[in-house]
């Protein structure tokens, strides 16, 4: 069953949709595609800023995850990060490395890399998360407004439950032009039962 629309994803995944980032092809005359994308990003970041305004402590940790590969987690996180930075928020983006998979954004300003294998270890300490930076930098957590963390697709990799428990907001990223499987529904159902009931758990359709 192809996802196609936000309402369809809500029905299939059983979680609310925070927003839609349109994958638009410039084929229709008279349509300002960049404006549509800009307004969409504005709406999503406004919701994140509103959420952050109710938290006395910072940084706000936002987790970007997907069920399958190629759903656009890094793209969405980058776009939202750039928009928040335009409002002078201080954002750090932590992306993962795995054997055979390097973080392509490594070296960009405010982008950091961590070893996903380290996160899965029994003695993993989230409070010292920056110590797992492959580049040896500190993310300076105390001065960040937001920390974005991307994890690998949960259908193909172990789910780092401890990171979810340290997260303030979890965002499922998925493409609208692909089929949704029963395995994804079952995985999300199990995840929702495992996670804290007060964790905001929403989707962005890409």
């Amino acid at each position: 069953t192809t996802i196609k629309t936000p309402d369809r994803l809500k029905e299939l995944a059983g979680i609310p949709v925070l927003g839609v980032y349109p994958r638009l092809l410039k084929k229709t005359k008279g349509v300002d595609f960049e404006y549509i994308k800009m307004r969409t990003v504005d709406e999503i970041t406004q919701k994140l800023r509103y959420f952050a305004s109710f938290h006395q402590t910072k940084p706000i940790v936002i987790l970007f995850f997907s069920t399958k590969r190629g759903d656009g987690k890094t793209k969405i996180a980058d776009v939202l990060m750039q928009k928040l930075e335009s409002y002078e928020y201080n954002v750090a983006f932590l992306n993962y490395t795995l054997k055979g998979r390097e973080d392509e954004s490594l070296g960009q300003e405010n982008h950091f890399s961590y070893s996903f294998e380290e996160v899965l270890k029994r003695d993993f300490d989230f409070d010292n998360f920056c110590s797992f930076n492959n580049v040896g930098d500190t993310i300076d957590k105390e001065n960040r407004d937001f920390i974005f963390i991307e994890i690998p697709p949960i259908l193909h990799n172990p789910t780092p439950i401890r990171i979810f428990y340290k997260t303030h907001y979890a965002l499922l990223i998925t493409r609208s032009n692909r089929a949704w499987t029963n395995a994804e529904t079952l995985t999300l159902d199990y995840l929702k039962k495992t996670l804290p009931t007060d964790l905001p758990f929403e989707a962005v359709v890409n």
Side-chain angles (χ1 to χ4, degrees):
T1 303
T2 305
I3 297 169
K4 293 183 180 179
T5 67
D7 287 340
R8 184 63 174 153
L9 177 63
K10 183 178 179 180
E11 176 187 342
L12 292 168
I15 62 175
V17 175
L18 177 64
V20 180
Y21 186 76
R23 299 165 64 90
L24 301 173
L25 298 176
K26 297 184 179 181
K27 290 183 178 181
T28 305
K29 292 183 178 180
V31 177
D32 190 340
F33 293 99
E34 290 306 315
Y35 176 78
I36 293 173
K37 285 189 175 184
M38 180 185 70
R39 288 300 305 138
T40 299
V41 173
D42 279 339
E43 291 173 5
I44 297 174
T45 52
Q46 181 175 344
K47 292 174 183 177
L48 296 180
R49 293 165 62 199
Y50 181 76
F51 174 81
S53 69
F54 286 94
H55 282 263
Q56 299 298 319
T57 60
K58 66 176 188 179
I60 301 297
V61 179
I62 300 180
L63 184 66
F64 292 79
F65 75 104
S66 65
T67 50
K68 292 188 174 181
R69 301 182 182 95
D71 275 338
K73 298 185 296 297
T74 304
K75 173 65 176 179
I76 297 298
D78 263 330
V79 169
L80 297 180
M81 178 180 181
Q82 290 170 20
K83 191 64 180 180
L84 287 170
E85 287 179 333
S86 74
Y87 294 128
E88 299 186 349
Y89 286 91
N90 195 338
V91 186
F93 182 12
L94 279 67
N95 208 338
Y96 67 93
T97 61
L98 279 168
K99 291 180 179 178
R101 192 268 191 190
E102 294 299 322
D103 176 11
E104 296 179 357
S105 64
L106 188 60
Q108 297 181 34
E109 186 176 4
N110 293 321
H111 286 68
F112 303 88
S113 182
Y114 73 92
S115 167
F116 187 66
E117 286 87 352
E118 294 289 342
V119 167
L120 298 176
K121 291 182 178 179
R122 182 179 179 181
D123 60 353
F124 168 66
D125 180 5
F126 186 87
D127 293 329
N128 292 315
F129 196 23
C130 58
S131 66
F132 294 115
N133 252 302
N134 292 353
V135 293
D137 291 338
T138 176
I139 63 172
D140 193 19
K141 290 191 295 185
E142 291 73 16
N143 293 315
R144 301 287 182 176
D145 298 301
F146 292 90
I147 293 180
F148 289 180
I149 301 175
E150 180 179 332
I151 62 172
I154 60 175
L155 272 185
H156 308 290
N157 300 275
T159 302
I161 294 297
R162 283 178 291 179
I163 286 186
F164 275 93
Y165 268 84
K166 292 290 188 176
T167 294
H168 298 106
Y169 212 121
L171 289 180
L172 168 70
I173 313 298
T174 188
R175 287 185 293 115
S176 61
N177 61 346
R178 71 165 179 82
W180 184 267
T181 65
N182 188 52
E184 292 173 273
T185 300
L186 293 174
T187 298
L188 288 179
D189 285 346
Y190 174 77
L191 188 58
K192 286 182 286 186
K193 292 176 183 177
T194 306
L195 298 179
T197 56
D198 60 346
L199 173 63
F201 194 96
E202 297 184 295
V204 173
V205 182
N206 183 19

